[in-house]
Amino acid sequence: MAFDFEMIKAVYQRLPERIAAAKKVLGRPLTLTEKILYSHLTEGVASKAYERGKSYVDFNPDRVGMQDATAQMALLQFMQAGRPKVAVPSTVHCDHLIQAKDGAKQDLSTALDKNKEVYDFLASVSDKYGIGFWKPGAGIIHQVILEQYAFPGGLMIGTDSHTVNAGGLGMIAIGVGGADACDVMAGLPWELKFPKMIGVKLTGRLSGWTSSKDIILKVAGILTVKGGTDAILEYFGDGADSLSCTGKGTICNMGAEIGATTSVFCYDKKMADYLKGTGRTDVAAAADEVAQHLRGDNEVYADPEKYFDQVIEINLSELEPHINGPFTPDLAWPISKFAAAVKENGWPRYFEVGLIGSCTNSSYEDITRSASIAKMAIENNLKAKSEFTITPGSEQVRYTTERDGLLQDFEKIGGVVLANACGPCIGQWARHRKDGEPKNSIITSYNRNFAKRNDGDPNTHAFVASPEIVTAMVLAGDLCFNPLTDTLKNEKGQDVKLKEPQGVELPLKGFAVKDSGYQEPAKDGSKVQVKVSPASERLQLLDPFPAWEGMDLKGLRLLIKAKGKCTTDHISMAGPWLKFRGHLDNISNNMLIGAVNAFNDKTDSVKNQLTGEYDAVPKVQRAYKEARVGSIVVGDENYGEGSSREHAAMEPRHLGVRAILVKSFARIHETNLKKQGMLALTFANKADYDKIKEDDTFDILGLTEFKPGVPLKIVLHHVDGDHEIITVNQTYNENQIEWFKAGGALNIIRSQVSLS
Ligand code: SF4
């Protein structure tokens, strides 16, 4: 049950009634976001208005998407829930575990060999429980979902933070942890803090070198990595309607980089064209019938300030191409100012690798625009001056672009086509480094560029731009090259000025594919055996976490006071660790090894309070666990930003950390901690962060009276015998408090399924 047209028809059938009810309750016109959310309420027809940024609301998502790294833990958890089949259409996509090294064919064959037990597990568990399975090499989850499953007006969750990509096809699509996916596949409601809404009005038209990517690079610069927190970005205006569907996908995709819950575009002709172009004429026809419900009301867009919490306006006709970075995706540079920034900041000017593709920018349009630059290079005797890699987003795109001679153009200028997978975007990259300075630059058309993200090297300065800008840049190998104004010297010593890129939104001859890499699940999976070896180092069946002991937590030790940015990559690093995603104990050896200890400015070096010695973070925590001593992690702002991986919550839980106390949380991570039965707390007074000393012990008080909206107290016992009491906030609702008490949400799901 992967593609389900009946489900889509059912969604469209109930839309008018549910939207009418929501309008009645709210007493005003609705944004698109409200139409979709209110039509997916678990309670059915809306009975009250929900407070944005405050109310926790239960929804029934229409589908679930999982990538192979996060699917392992989600499905291990789902297996514990005791259901014969998933409750909603769900798919698994094998894209994260393929390491880029020599090129598509060789890398895929190596991955099939290396990850056999994981792929066998995922294929068998999908087969058994009615889940569509996309084999390794079939494509990157978000591109495949856009091509196959996303539909306007739908609500979807996915175990990856770039699930939001499906907003390009008018869907509210939200990245969650495996525990949430497990809930929805088990038929339980899914809870979300009702989001705030940011309206983004696009006027004018893109032209020349500017592309959809530049819109989101600009938005990231305006809103910063925290500006979208707890909000849905809704794009509208004639500029929005003029963008291709996949271009809209690019914009929504990178909404994850500003911390947005998700982003969404209104249904329009471009979406209908894309649905038809990807073989879903029936979905386009069904959407056409309810088209007015798949856009916000006209009154909203005529007077957006009245309906959105914030409104941003961008005139596409005036927008310049942007290059963002290094080390953060919100450091936005219009290309005309970038060369000066490179020189002023002393960033390594001559970059070693240019990489295009990823789920963000691997559409047919992206590839045609970039290939038009490659073609110009061939015609003008230019070659790539840096390494150059190309990642098609799906086998359908790869096959079609090869058929149309586009991939060959990249190869002719020195490009290497990688497997249809994440590869370098998630650190799965056996990078060929040149000898020389460790400080180096790369430029990608990906979405994330935090330190170490692509190659694990903190010296790598990663910049993000559109694929056509990256393609032009590799012909120079120089970050100070501006293709809009500068010329290149070719092999004959002639000056060459590149023309503007040209692209085609959808292939003129239509998409084609020989083997898409899809495996339909068994109709009756009851006889299918799930393959997990007890001796496996990569997969481990889960044991339930213990329930709360029913009393305040006292005598907790400080594991680490993390300083500055602490993303889920810092908490549970990717790269080589990805292979342990399905084995909680083994992967826990990476816990917090990327976080900077505020007391010595080092990573992976914390004081073991039992011995006074400094050691690696996981080792110290294992020592506390063995000694049956609970611990606490203290963090800074936006703790847990980045990807949705629930390992970042499960690892501390597994190793015995009891609470995470921070200045502020990223949304997905805070929820993940709650799911696992952890305490996710924030300083009521952020300055109290400075009161935490290295040898402190902590008592968390008020748990026996744990109630929504009521702060807790923490007693800090300093080593000199003094103590201080601070107030900490919590955002738990009634259900989440039950999760905490039961030791995790899964413990509750199991008991509910066994009772039903
Ligand atoms: S952002 Fe990168 S790692 Fe994540 S799904 Fe997309 S391509 Fe894969």
Side-chain angles (χ1 to χ4, degrees), residues 96 140 142 160 162 358-359 422 425-426 447 453:
H96 274 58
I140 306 173
H142 312 303
D160 189 277
H162 292 98
S358 90
C359 63
C422 303
C425 184
I426 189 65
N447 41 33
R453 163 87 178 177

Side-chain angles (χ1 to χ4, degrees), residues 427-680:
Q428 288 280 30
W429 191 17
R431 186 174 163 192
H432 324 118
R433 279 304 307 276
K434 289 182 190 148
D435 292 337
E437 291 298 310
K439 206 169 143 188
N440 73 99
S441 293
I442 61 171
I443 182 164
T444 83
S445 74
Y446 303 166
N447 41 33
R448 263 182 198 158
N449 61 348
F450 300 125
K452 302 190 192 177
R453 163 87 178 177
N454 301 116
D455 61 358
D457 184 347
N459 297 304
T460 298
H461 294 52
F463 296 89
V464 178
S466 70
E468 47 271 49
I469 290 288
V470 173
T471 306
M473 298 297 269
V474 299
L475 301 173
D478 178 0
L479 290 177
C480 293
F481 172 65
N482 179 352
L484 283 73
T485 52
D486 301 346
T487 53
L488 293 160
K489 271 271 182 268
N490 73 4
E491 287 164 347
K492 296 180 179 164
Q494 298 157 326
D495 286 333
V496 179
K497 173 85 177 55
L498 296 173
K499 293 198 197 100
E500 292 169 351
Q502 302 292 326
V504 182
E505 289 178 22
L506 291 163
L508 299 175
K509 287 190 269 172
F511 281 111
V513 69
K514 214 180 222 163
D515 174 5
S516 68
Y518 176 64
Q519 173 191 293
E520 181 78 6
K523 285 218 158 39
D524 172 11
S526 59
K527 302 274 180 325
V528 176
Q529 287 293 321
V530 175
K531 296 176 186 164
V532 180
S533 159
S536 173
E537 286 195 335
R538 298 183 63 180
L539 294 161
Q540 179 189 41
L541 292 174
L542 294 173
D543 287 327
F545 290 129
W548 171 56
E549 48 276 70
M551 58 183 85
D552 286 338
L553 302 179
K554 295 197 172 162
L556 304 181
R557 306 297 173 127
L558 177 69
L559 176 62
I560 184 170
K561 177 172 162 179
K563 177 176 145 186
K565 204 180 262 296
C566 194
T567 70
T568 47
D569 276 336
H570 296 97
I571 304 168
S572 177
M573 211 166 264
W577 294 97
L578 281 174
K579 67 174 182 282
F580 298 122
R581 280 294 179 97
H583 197 296
L584 184 55
D585 194 54
N586 285 346
I587 198 170
S588 294
N589 290 326
N590 77 356
M591 186 183 77
L592 283 158
I593 61 176
V596 176
N597 181 354
F599 298 108
N600 59 10
D601 282 337
K602 290 184 182 166
T603 54
D604 204 19
S605 170
V606 292
K607 192 171 185 181
N608 178 338
Q609 290 190 12
L610 304 176
T611 63
E613 305 286 322
Y614 284 84
D615 212 333
V617 185
K619 270 197 179 164
V620 171
Q621 183 53 38
R622 284 192 191 273
Y624 291 155
K625 186 176 185 182
E626 205 179 314
R628 297 177 171 275
V629 173
S631 66
I632 184 167
V633 168
V634 173
D636 216 315
E637 295 280 8
N638 211 21
Y639 182 91
E641 71 179 274
S643 84
S644 59
R645 65 189 69 139
E646 79 268 33
H647 296 78
M650 293 183 84
E651 291 175 24
R653 176 72 167 113
H654 172 65
L655 292 185
V657 178
R658 303 302 300 269
I660 311 287
L661 170 61
V662 298
K663 290 184 185 169
S664 64
F665 278 110
R667 184 193 73 83
I668 296 177
H669 188 60
E670 184 181 19
T671 309
N672 283 349
L673 288 168
K674 292 174 179 177
K675 289 264 169 196
Q676 302 305 335
M678 297 275 294
L679 282 173

Side-chain angles (χ1 to χ4, degrees), residues 115-355:
N115 304 312
K116 187 175 181 322
E117 62 176 321
V118 174
Y119 295 146
D120 285 350
F121 164 67
L122 292 174
S124 60
V125 78
S126 299
D127 201 20
K128 183 172 182 67
Y129 294 108
I131 300 166
F133 179 69
W134 289 82
K135 296 176 198 167
I140 306 173
I141 174 168
H142 312 303
Q143 181 68 26
V144 173
I145 284 176
L146 200 71
E147 286 172 12
Q148 308 282 338
Y149 304 124
F151 66 96
L155 176 66
M156 160 177 176
I157 61 163
T159 59
D160 189 277
S161 41
H162 292 98
T163 300
V164 294
N165 188 70
L169 203 32
M171 197 165 199
I172 297 245
I174 299 179
V176 298
D180 280 354
C182 176
D183 284 2
V184 173
M185 289 190 292
L188 296 175
W190 170 67
E191 190 193 66
L192 177 73
K193 195 192 312 182
F194 204 91
K196 293 187 205 145
M197 281 159 228
I198 300 175
V200 186
K201 182 175 182 183
L202 302 180
T203 59
R205 291 288 178 279
L206 291 176
S207 64
W209 284 90
T210 313
S211 70
S212 292
K213 178 76 157 204
D214 301 306
I215 300 173
I216 186 60
L217 293 178
K218 171 86 181 166
V219 170
I222 296 169
L223 286 176
T224 78
V225 288
K226 284 203 307 183
T229 307
D230 281 343
I232 292 186
L233 272 69
E234 183 170 322
Y235 289 84
F236 62 94
D238 60 339
D241 291 343
S242 72
L243 302 172
S244 68
C245 179
T246 50
K248 292 175 167 90
T250 297
I251 293 168
C252 294
N253 180 298
M254 269 196 77
E257 273 50 71
I258 49 169
T261 301
T262 193
S263 309
V264 70
F265 279 82
C266 300
Y267 180 62
D268 61 14
K269 186 176 173 309
K270 296 285 187 180
M271 288 188 198
D273 290 347
Y274 186 73
L275 284 168
K276 290 176 202 157
T278 50
R280 290 170 287 170
T281 306
D282 48 1
V283 179
D288 282 342
E289 280 180 26
V290 289
Q292 83 272 26
H293 299 305
L294 302 174
R295 299 178 66 89
D297 289 322
N298 291 338
E299 298 91 321
V300 169
Y301 301 140
D303 192 5
E305 276 79 11
K306 200 167 154 192
Y307 300 95
F308 291 101
D309 299 285
Q310 184 182 350
V311 177
I312 295 169
E313 186 166 339
I314 298 173
N315 182 347
L316 305 186
S317 305
E318 292 170 359
L319 185 66
E320 256 191 82
H322 275 61
I323 298 180
N324 287 19
F327 305 123
T328 187
D330 57 356
L331 194 53
W333 302 100
I335 198 158
S336 58
K337 305 227 163 49
F338 183 62
V342 169
K343 289 176 195 156
E344 265 165 39
N345 291 287
W347 297 325
R349 169 173 175 169
Y350 298 98
F351 61 93
E352 293 184 15
V353 198
L355 307 97

Side-chain angles (χ1 to χ4, degrees), residues 668-739:
I668 296 177
H669 188 60
E670 184 181 19
T671 309
N672 283 349
L673 288 168
K674 292 174 179 177
K675 289 264 169 196
Q676 302 305 335
M678 297 275 294
L679 282 173
L681 308 172
T682 52
F683 291 100
N685 176 4
K686 289 184 183 184
D688 287 348
Y689 172 90
D690 298 326
K691 293 182 178 164
I692 310 294
K693 297 186 180 153
E694 192 171 23
D695 293 300
D696 284 352
T697 57
F698 302 74
D699 298 339
I700 303 179
L701 308 181
L703 293 174
T704 49
E705 304 290 315
F706 201 175
K707 277 193 195 72
V710 179
L712 301 171
K713 297 273 181 214
I714 293 188
V715 186
L716 310 176
H717 297 278
H718 301 309
V719 74
D720 59 7
D722 268 4
H723 76 270
E724 293 178 78
I725 299 177
I726 61 170
T727 302
V728 293
N729 292 331
Q730 49 86 11
T731 58
Y732 288 70
N733 61 22
E734 296 284 0
N735 277 343
Q736 292 167 338
I737 290 171
E738 291 311 309
W739 299 345

